[in-house]
Amino acid sequence: MGGAFAAGTGRRLESRGWRGAAALVAGALPALAFPAPALWWFAYVALVPWLLLLRTARDGRRAAYDGWLGGAGFLLAAHHWLVPNLHVFIVLLAALLGLLWAPWGWLAHRMLTGSAARALAAVAVVPAGWLVVELARSWQGLGGPWGLLGASQWQVPGALRLASVGGVWFLSLLVVAVNTAVALLLAGARWRRTGLAALMACALAGLAVSRFTAAPEPAGSIRVAVVQPGVIHGAGARFAREEELTRKLAGRDVDLVVWGESSIGADLAARPEPARRLTGLSRQTGASLLVNVDARRADRPGIYKSSVLVGPDGLTGERYDKMRLVPFGEYVPFRSVLGWVTSVGEAAGEDRRRGTRPVVMDLPGSGGRPDARIGPLVCFETAFPDMSRALVRRGAQVLVAQSATSTFQQSWAPEQHASLAALRAAETGRPMVHATLTGVSAVHGPDGGRIGAPLGTAVSGAAVYEVPLAAGATPYVRIGPWPVYLALVILAARAGGEAWAAVRRFRTRKRP
């Protein structure tokens, strides 16, 4: 009976329709490793069904097709919460971006079939190919690095230590290597020993790096308050609620109060009334306020999203304009061609303008605590590892993210977004404050571990966190994304080996 079932399953997978559906589902499985399900352990086997399917493809062309469908399935599952905004357009985007996995599908098929030596090489080559796909789709024009596989490990202390060495890229490389080894274990007796050896090597490498990674060096602390007004319609009503919550922080010895993205709907340089009210709040609480302005600027054309620092003497002059904007959310790429999407979903009616440089702001200390330098990021920018690294290299001691996820309130998006703070903190060895309008707001220490209780999506309130500072630089900050360079070297070496083998075969055929 088991043989008949296997035969029936095999015949179905030979069917173009059944196989295509299997590829879509297999590609979607890794999404369960991310919040809200947050099954971090599942990431280490989530790719196995997809890899085994690619291995059974009749040829490389079919494997590339399965890679494309699986990639589209992954993007649809990982970004399903965008459906209310993009509607059917998300299917087109997933289909286009899924093409990035077509070469990976071909590569995985080639490496998982053949000799034991090739199978052993697959444990390095297949993860390298996956990492190059993640690198390509991390370009902002293709949507940015949301849903990198390594980001699923945000709550695992050992994994966060690995992130301090090689960033989220190292985690992705390791997770895909484990999946490849497990796929070899299940592929048959011929490859079982190779798969087991590769699995042990992955475990030992991860444990060794994790064990000998130095913990961040303590360097004092500051007190940061996060103000989360909750779902409130209307800029005036939201401002009033933020004021109310901030006043309650008076007497709590706070150094910095952080409001979420788009917390202010008017240019403070041109509107003295809200600026005066914010200055009064700073005096009342004894803390600097980092607010976020989403408005047309008076001193230059266009709408900007800007982090603005306000002190007891008014605007400090410290301002950061958001550099990386959300495609279709804050601008429409090739608007002259794709402008029609504004009538289908909730794409931006007018493109926001981009900032030109990162900014590190000086925050005066109080109560005997040290001065601190903060590096602001706005919403989507927390997904980019290079941005937080650049801020730390410029001297930032605390990373501060201002976000607004109210559009996706009942989805997985708020939890996914908040989880990125753990990765950025661990990578840089600097604490990160993630403040939102409607949740989830959270704070993570220099090791990526959570500090205090987060503010969930049902909360309208304020919370104060004792945020530890750290000195020194992590290997990731010093060296950069070396796992990406390693992946490129591995793929280049494999391509060189394939080319040399082809030359040898050609010479053999030429001999009389």
Side-chain angles (χ1 to χ4, degrees):
M1 184 174 179
F5 176 79
T9 302
R11 284 194 296 271
R12 286 179 178 176
L13 288 180
E14 288 301 316
S15 163
R16 189 182 184 91
W18 278 102
R19 190 175 184 91
L24 280 168
V25 173
L29 290 177
L32 296 174
F34 297 94
L39 306 177
W40 64 266
W41 51 268
F42 185 60
Y44 292 94
V45 294
L47 293 178
V48 172
W50 192 4
L51 288 169
L52 293 177
L53 185 70
L54 293 170
R55 182 179 173 276
T56 62
R58 63 176 179 267
D59 53 32
R61 182 177 178 181
R62 178 68 220 196
Y65 185 73
D66 292 340
W68 169 50
L69 289 177
F74 171 72
L75 292 171
L76 283 171
H79 298 83
H80 70 275
W81 40 269
L82 285 171
V83 171
N85 294 75
L86 299 181
H87 301 292
V88 71
F89 194 63
I90 192 174
V91 178
L92 176 60
L93 286 175
L96 290 173
L97 294 179
L99 289 170
L100 293 171
W101 276 272
W104 180 77
W106 175 88
L107 179 68
H109 169 75
R110 179 158 182 80
M111 297 305 300
L112 293 173
T113 55
S115 65
R118 183 184 293 177
L120 184 60
V123 182
V125 176
V126 172
W130 180 277
L131 206 62
V132 169
V133 174
E134 290 200 333
L135 177 66
R137 76 181 186 89
S138 294
W139 178 48
Q140 185 202 343
L142 293 180
W146 195 284
L148 300 184
L149 197 56
S152 64
Q153 306 303 294
W154 66 277
Q155 57 185 318
V156 184
L160 292 174
R161 286 194 291 274
L162 298 182
S164 72
V165 176
V168 68
W169 311 108
F170 189 17
L171 298 182
S172 286
L173 203 66
L174 184 62
V175 168
V176 181
V178 172
N179 273 275
T180 307
V182 174
L184 288 171
L185 274 172
L186 300 177
R190 180 182 175 187
W191 293 276
R192 196 163 293 149
R193 186 174 298 177
T194 301
L196 183 60
L199 195 60
M200 292 178 64
C202 290
L204 290 174
L207 287 172
V209 174
S210 176
R211 183 176 179 84
F212 293 105
T213 300
E217 181 182 342
S221 66
I222 64 170
R223 286 174 65 81
V224 179
V226 172
V227 171
Q228 180 176 296
V231 180
I232 297 176
H233 300 289
R238 182 169 61 243
F239 191 98
R241 177 59 176 161
E242 289 164 330
E243 273 188 304
E244 178 188 358
L245 292 171
T246 303
R247 286 195 193 98
K248 295 178 180 178
L249 297 171
R252 299 191 62 181
D253 195 22
V254 176
D255 299 294
L256 175 67
V257 178
V258 185
W259 289 12
E261 181 187 16
S262 303
S263 48
I264 307 292
D267 185 8
L268 295 175
R271 298 282 297 276
E273 176 58 21
R276 182 190 62 77
R277 291 161 67 180
L278 290 170
T279 301
L281 289 174
S282 177
R283 290 174 180 169
Q284 188 175 355
T285 59
S288 299
L289 272 64
L290 186 70
V291 299
N292 190 268
V293 177
D294 184 0
R296 197 174 301 278
R297 290 186 62 163
D299 59 340
R300 64 182 65 175
I303 301 173
Y304 289 80
K305 284 193 173 182
S306 307
S307 300
V308 177
L309 192 65
V310 182
D313 297 322
L315 301 179
T316 66
E318 303 270 31
R319 180 187 187 117
Y320 166 67
D321 296 323
K322 186 176 183 181
M323 297 169 62
R324 294 185 184 170
L325 305 176
V326 180
F328 300 101
E330 295 168 335
Y331 78 102
V332 176
F334 309 107
R335 184 176 284 273
S336 60
V337 177
L338 298 176
W340 58 269
V341 304
T342 59
S343 62
V344 177
E346 297 181 15
E350 178 181 347
D351 291 349
R352 271 29 178 192
R353 301 295 182 92
R354 301 176 190 276
T356 57
R357 62 185 179 88
V359 173
V360 176
M361 302 176 177
D362 293 311
L363 184 70
S366 63
R369 285 189 292 273
D371 295 351
R373 307 193 72 203
I374 62 173
L377 297 165
V378 183
C379 194
F380 178 59
E381 294 179 326
T382 64
F384 293 86
D386 65 302
M387 295 196 72
S388 52
R389 176 174 179 258
L391 286 170
V392 172
R393 289 173 68 87
R394 285 172 174 259
Q397 295 169 284
V398 182
L399 300 171
V400 181
Q402 297 171 296
S403 177
T405 54
S406 54
T407 304
F408 314 108
Q409 195 72 354
Q410 305 303 321
S411 72
W412 295 359
E415 287 82 3
Q416 285 184 15
H417 201 178
S419 72
L420 296 174
L423 270 297
R424 303 294 86 89
E427 288 170 340
T428 60
R430 297 293 183 268
M432 186 163 191
V433 177
H434 180 82
T436 73
L437 292 180
T438 59
V440 174
S441 298
V443 178
H444 291 264
D447 61 353
R450 181 174 280 168
I451 296 174
L455 300 178
T457 55
V459 174
S460 174
V464 178
Y465 301 88
E466 189 78 24
V467 180
L469 304 179
T474 64
Y476 174 73
V477 168
R478 291 196 303 269
I479 303 170
W482 61 264
V484 173
Y485 309 139
L486 176 62
L488 292 172
V489 169
I490 291 172
L491 292 177
R494 183 62 197 176
E498 292 278 358
W500 176 244
V503 169
R504 291 183 62 185
R505 288 194 297 269
F506 177 76
R507 287 178 177 177
T508 301
R509 286 197 297 270
K510 291 283 286 185
R511 289 174 184 167

